[in-house]
Amino acid sequence: VIKNDSFVDDIEQGLVGINRASDVVAPDNYLYDSVAYDSEIEHEVLKIRPAEKIIVYGKLPRRSVKVPTYMGGTTTPDFIYGIDKGNGYVELNLLVETKAKDIRMSEQTATSAQDKLFSGIKNITWRKVVEPGEVSEIVDSL
């Protein structure tokens, strides 16, 4: 999060998640000192320790990446992962949107907008995830 042209040192927990994950310890490569989430699928994803090639990862704050929807609002992916591509090169290229299997129309609109935007950006992989284990499978495939 940037304020006055500089990254902020602290953000409100509510921007990352309304629930505190007291059962998840933030590892060194997690963006924050504590772990918060909004939905149970996010909570389950946060319990998964990413592969070693993940240099940094975390839950994106609300409205930090504003993807416009045709209904006039915006949407932000849930998670970001920085992947070690070798030779000291880290690529922030995985954005993950978590959703339940049966989603409302407004959530379908949000995921469609994210998919359309990020599919057109080179070196960005965007995926909608409905099962927490899918995150590990996606990381392993990159």
Side-chain angles (χ1 to χ4, degrees):
V1 175
I2 297 176
K3 221 179 235 183
N4 299 326
D5 297 325
S6 297
F7 284 105
V8 297
D9 292 328
D10 299 303
I11 61 171
E12 298 171 29
Q13 175 193 317
L15 291 176
V16 179
I18 56 173
N19 303 302
R20 190 173 196 125
S22 57
D23 59 340
V24 180
V25 176
D28 290 341
N29 62 342
Y30 192 67
L31 285 174
Y32 315 108
D33 296 332
S34 61
V35 181
Y37 63 96
D38 290 317
S39 66
E40 266 317 301
I41 188 169
E42 289 179 6
H43 188 199
E44 294 301 315
V45 167
L46 288 164
K47 291 178 183 179
I48 299 169
R49 291 287 182 243
E52 284 186 33
K53 65 182 174 179
I54 300 297
I55 302 302
V56 64
Y57 75 104
K59 182 111 169 33
L60 285 169
R62 283 185 184 88
R63 297 177 297 281
S64 61
V65 178
K66 293 182 181 182
V67 178
T69 64
Y70 75 89
M71 296 173 66
T74 62
T75 178
T76 299
D78 293 317
F79 296 96
I80 188 166
Y81 293 81
I83 300 172
D84 183 352
K85 294 300 212 172
N87 298 328
Y89 181 69
V90 176
E91 195 172 83
L92 293 177
N93 78 346
L94 177 59
L95 298 166
V96 173
E97 176 67 19
T98 56
K99 292 292 179 195
K101 290 180 183 175
D102 54 336
I103 60 174
R104 299 182 309 255
M105 183 61 152
S106 62
E107 292 172 326
Q108 288 176 344
T109 300
T111 57
S112 176
Q114 288 184 31
D115 184 30
K116 286 180 183 174
L117 175 68
F118 295 118
S119 67
I121 301 175
K122 186 178 176 180
N123 296 328
I124 293 290
T125 300
W126 176 90
R127 294 287 187 272
K128 178 178 91 173
V129 169
V130 296
E131 295 288 336
E134 289 179 83
V135 174
S136 296
E137 293 171 14
I138 296 166
V139 168
D140 289 344
S141 72
L142 295 174

